[in-house]
Amino acid sequence: MEKLVALCKRRGFIYPGSEIYGGLANTWDYGPYGVLLKKNIKEQWWKTFVQERDDMVGLDAAILMNPKTWEASGHVTNFSDPLMDCKNCKERVRGDKLIEEKFGIEAVAGKSLKEIGNLIEKHKIPCPKCGKCNFTEARSFNLMFETHQGVIKEDSALVYLRPETAQGIFVNFKNIIDTTRVKVPFGIAQIGKAFRNEITPGNFTFRTREFEQMEIEFFIKPGTEKEWFEHWCEQAFKWFTDLGISKDKLRFRAHEKDELSHYSTMTKDIEFKFPFGKAGKKGEKTDDMWGELTGIAYRGNFDLSQHIKFSGQKLEYRDSQTNEVYIPHVIEPSFGADRAVLAFLINAYVEENLGEEGERTVMKFHPKIAPIKIAIFPLSKQLGEKAKEIYDTLKKDFMCEYDDSGSIGKRYRRQDEIGTPFCVTVDFETEGDQSVTIRNRDSMEQDRIPVAELREWFWKKI
Ligand code: GAP
């Protein structure tokens, strides 16, 4: 992780937030390559789950919502973590996380505040900062960020920053049914920011207080949940592997009954092996830690029913063929965009020994998500005009970078570190044969390709 965090900073993927003011804990800013990587990941998600499907529409709802939304959704009463303070060093900890890190997630599932406190006491689980076991009682801490809408700071204007994008979808269910031609089964997809006042953020961008989600609420006929749940588990997993995440770094983990959220009766997480160096499942020591990337939850008709109750609106569906009226059930695949970016970064990071040529660090991103697709080099500055011409043509279709400084070897290493899959070199033969050399990032093999065929060649490869 240390090497990756250093590379992210050095090469402009991810910077610590507000750095010139000494930072703001656990905030991160995506730099020039990071923003491209994240944008590509979000675009691939949208393409797979919205553009290429016939049963999905998109949405971009507001972050600030009527506070009744969060009463209906259960977040005002249920969305909290067990918070404890170390009496010795004042460190603030999540009681459930202390138990989870020692005994695995099963040990903490469904435990009350009191039971969490008792377990920590019984096993003398130490404070991660000072090592003592002397905590205050566990108390419930709501994770929603509060702010005030309007110029007068009064209670009536209290609003929350949304803790999930999902509710923006549910409150627009009726609008979408009334204004589009969707028919159950269908889904609504949304990408956007969510905010949670996490007690223990950390592990780089894995858990932050401001993050982006990519969520789908897929509305189905009651009774068809098993097949659709399976469908979404498969599709979500496939999305990661199609974009190059190796299968051995991914696994499914079904939630235990008493670990399920207040709205769900069936949830599976897709987990990724993060190199965080913490305790693994059931407490075994390992250098990796399985962490949640995506959750797929069967939410029944909990949300729509709650919004019917709280808003008084009719959020039902009428089957136009049978005239049957019902409240659809929901399968929810929920992805974290920042966590996906982190997993793709970790998955791509490779150090290779090239023998006499030394070592190289290379980010083996799938070409579809690589920030820069093609780098164009003139072998010598004299060849700049021809190289620029090629660059100006290719940049209309692909994110390109032009580089004419340093040796070709150095330029390759720079592109390897940011994961550029192809480098094009314009050399002294180009004028004569109207061709260029394309060097492949992973195999380091070179192809000689006519300039006139470049565009098509890259379309096929990327
Ligand atoms: N609507 C369901 C929902 O929000 P969740 O499991 O709480 O479910 C979904 O969140 C995904 O959002 C997670 O799988 C994770 O990828 C991402 N996520 C949640 N909290 C996060 C945080 N504090 N920082 C970064 N990503 C987070």
Side-chain angles (χ1 to χ4, degrees), residues 164 166 196 198 205-208 211 213 215 263 292-295 299 332 334-336 339:
E164 60 171 15
R196 297 180 189 175
E198 301 278 7
T205 56
F206 180 80
R207 182 172 290 108
T208 50
F211 57 96
Q213 290 187 313
E215 295 202 294
Y263 50 73
E292 176 186 343
L293 265 187
T294 294
R299 297 175 78 122
E332 176 197 65
S334 174
F335 296 64
R339 266 191 210 174

Side-chain angles (χ1 to χ4, degrees), residues 251-269:
R251 72 172 187 191
F252 279 112
R253 194 183 66 79
H255 283 209
E256 306 283 329
K257 260 213 163 66
D258 46 3
E259 181 194 341
L260 293 163
S261 317
H262 59 276
Y263 50 73
S264 179
T265 53
M266 181 160 61
T267 297
K268 263 191 199 176
D269 288 343

Side-chain angles (χ1 to χ4, degrees), residues 367-378:
K368 282 184 179 162
I369 61 167
I372 305 291
K373 313 291 188 210
I374 310 161
I376 295 111
F377 311 150

Side-chain angles (χ1 to χ4, degrees), residues 41-43 45-46 59-60 162 165 189-193 212-215 337:
I41 289 169
K42 288 191 285 183
E43 277 176 9
W45 186 90
W46 193 268
L59 179 76
D60 185 7
R162 66 180 176 198
T165 62
Q190 167 162 238
I191 299 178
K193 290 259 178 166
E212 213 161 347
Q213 290 187 313
M214 308 186 285
E215 295 202 294

Side-chain angles (χ1 to χ4, degrees), residues 20 59 62 94 222 280-281 324 331-332 338 372 437 443:
I20 62 164
L59 179 76
R94 256 179 76 177
K281 211 179 172 217
E324 197 186 344
I331 306 290
E332 176 197 65
D338 305 271
I372 305 291
T437 300
S443 66

Side-chain angles (χ1 to χ4, degrees), residues 144-408:
M144 281 197 292
F145 271 103
E146 294 178 359
T147 188
H148 294 85
Q149 175 152 303
V151 286
I152 304 164
K153 213 176 174 189
E154 57 186 24
D155 268 356
S156 61
L158 173 77
V159 289
Y160 301 101
L161 302 187
R162 66 180 176 198
E164 60 171 15
T165 62
Q167 297 306 323
I169 297 180
F170 292 119
V171 304
N172 279 290
F173 174 77
K174 190 171 162 27
N175 276 335
I176 288 175
I177 289 277
D178 290 348
T179 59
T180 71
R181 290 165 55 229
V182 291
K183 283 193 168 62
V184 169
F186 77 95
I188 304 175
Q190 167 162 238
I191 299 178
K193 290 259 178 166
F195 301 82
R196 297 180 189 175
N197 202 357
E198 301 278 7
I199 300 164
T200 50
N203 281 329
F204 199 25
T205 56
F206 180 80
R207 182 172 290 108
T208 50
R209 295 191 172 105
E210 172 184 348
F211 57 96
E212 213 161 347
Q213 290 187 313
M214 308 186 285
E215 295 202 294
I216 293 167
E217 304 304 325
F218 198 79
F219 298 94
I220 57 167
K221 195 168 177 191
T224 62
E225 57 272 11
K226 279 219 161 60
E227 61 206 71
W228 280 111
F229 187 76
E230 272 317 303
H231 169 87
W232 280 108
C233 287
E234 272 166 34
Q235 292 303 305
F237 196 92
K238 186 170 178 296
W239 184 74
F240 286 110
T241 53
D242 282 355
L243 288 175
I245 302 246
S246 46
K247 281 201 175 99
D248 58 348
K249 290 192 192 132
L250 291 173
R251 72 172 187 191
F252 279 112
R253 194 183 66 79
H255 283 209
E256 306 283 329
K257 260 213 163 66
D258 46 3
E259 181 194 341
L260 293 163
S261 317
H262 59 276
Y263 50 73
S264 179
T265 53
M266 181 160 61
T267 297
K268 263 191 199 176
D269 288 343
I270 296 175
E271 297 187 329
F272 178 79
K273 227 183 207 182
F274 287 96
F276 292 152
K278 287 256 181 74
K281 211 179 172 217
K282 293 199 196 294
E284 89 258 24
K285 273 282 167 206
T286 148
D287 285 332
D288 297 320
M289 188 181 98
W290 289 99
E292 176 186 343
L293 265 187
T294 294
I296 299 119
Y298 169 48
R299 297 175 78 122
N301 64 10
F302 173 82
D303 304 88
L304 287 180
S305 298
Q306 286 293 101
H307 289 303
I308 291 171
K309 208 155 97 191
F310 279 73
S311 71
Q313 300 279 321
K314 270 194 175 166
L315 309 180
E316 305 159 335
Y317 176 76
R318 178 186 295 276
D319 186 316
S320 58
Q321 302 219 299
T322 62
N323 259 342
E324 197 186 344
V325 176
Y326 59 90
I327 305 170
H329 283 209
V330 166
I331 306 290
E332 176 197 65
S334 174
F335 296 64
D338 305 271
R339 266 191 210 174
V341 171
L342 184 57
F344 282 114
L345 280 165
I346 290 166
N347 185 69
Y349 186 95
V350 179
E351 287 173 354
E352 280 178 357
N353 190 335
L354 303 179
E356 281 176 9
E357 287 177 62
E359 288 200 347
R360 70 167 183 160
T361 301
V362 48
M363 297 298 284
K364 293 193 173 177
F365 294 122
H366 189 291
K368 282 184 179 162
I369 61 167
I372 305 291
K373 313 291 188 210
I374 310 161
I376 295 111
F377 311 150
L379 186 61
S380 135
K381 284 198 176 160
Q382 286 159 265
L383 299 162
E385 201 178 321
K386 182 71 192 166
K388 267 268 162 65
E389 192 188 305
I390 292 171
Y391 167 70
D392 285 336
T393 310
L394 290 177
K395 77 181 183 191
K396 294 194 177 112
D397 291 282
F398 309 100
M399 195 68 210
C400 294
E401 204 167 271
Y402 183 81
D403 187 0
D404 61 2
S405 69
S407 69
I408 288 287

Side-chain angles (χ1 to χ4, degrees), residues 1-154:
M1 271 315 282
E2 269 169 33
K3 284 181 177 174
L4 182 74
V5 173
L7 180 137
C8 282
K9 169 88 202 273
R10 181 162 44 85
R11 298 311 320 270
F13 280 94
I14 301 176
Y15 308 123
S18 321
E19 210 182 1
I20 62 164
Y21 290 105
L24 174 69
N26 301 106
T27 60
W28 301 96
D29 296 340
Y30 289 88
Y33 296 124
V35 68
L36 290 171
L37 176 65
K38 189 172 175 185
K39 187 170 85 59
N40 293 344
I41 289 169
K42 288 191 285 183
E43 277 176 9
Q44 283 304 316
W45 186 90
W46 193 268
K47 186 159 181 284
T48 304
F49 296 123
V50 182
Q51 185 178 325
E52 290 178 2
R53 291 184 69 108
D54 306 324
D55 54 4
M56 192 77 67
V57 293
L59 179 76
D60 185 7
I63 288 174
L64 301 177
M65 301 178 70
N66 187 308
K68 272 201 178 155
T69 310
W70 307 111
E71 284 173 40
S73 70
H75 283 82
V76 171
T77 38
N78 291 320
F79 196 57
S80 50
D81 279 340
L83 178 71
M84 301 168 86
D85 290 321
C86 172
K87 287 187 196 159
N88 185 51
C89 73
K90 310 287 177 242
E91 177 79 348
R92 197 151 264 194
V93 296
R94 256 179 76 177
D96 58 330
K97 283 283 155 199
L98 286 187
I99 297 170
E100 183 185 324
E101 277 164 18
K102 192 156 168 93
F103 298 113
I105 197 158
E106 294 84 357
V108 77
K111 295 275 183 303
S112 68
L113 286 175
K114 193 135 196 81
E115 287 167 323
I116 285 172
N118 289 346
L119 261 177
I120 289 173
E121 183 71 30
K122 183 175 160 200
H123 295 283
K124 292 272 168 272
I125 302 179
C127 165
K129 195 169 167 203
C130 72
K132 297 255 161 53
C133 178
N134 185 14
F135 294 104
T136 58
E137 272 183 22
R139 59 195 186 282
S140 180
F141 176 77
N142 194 290
L143 300 183
M144 281 197 292
F145 271 103
E146 294 178 359
T147 188
H148 294 85
Q149 175 152 303
V151 286
I152 304 164
K153 213 176 174 189
E154 57 186 24

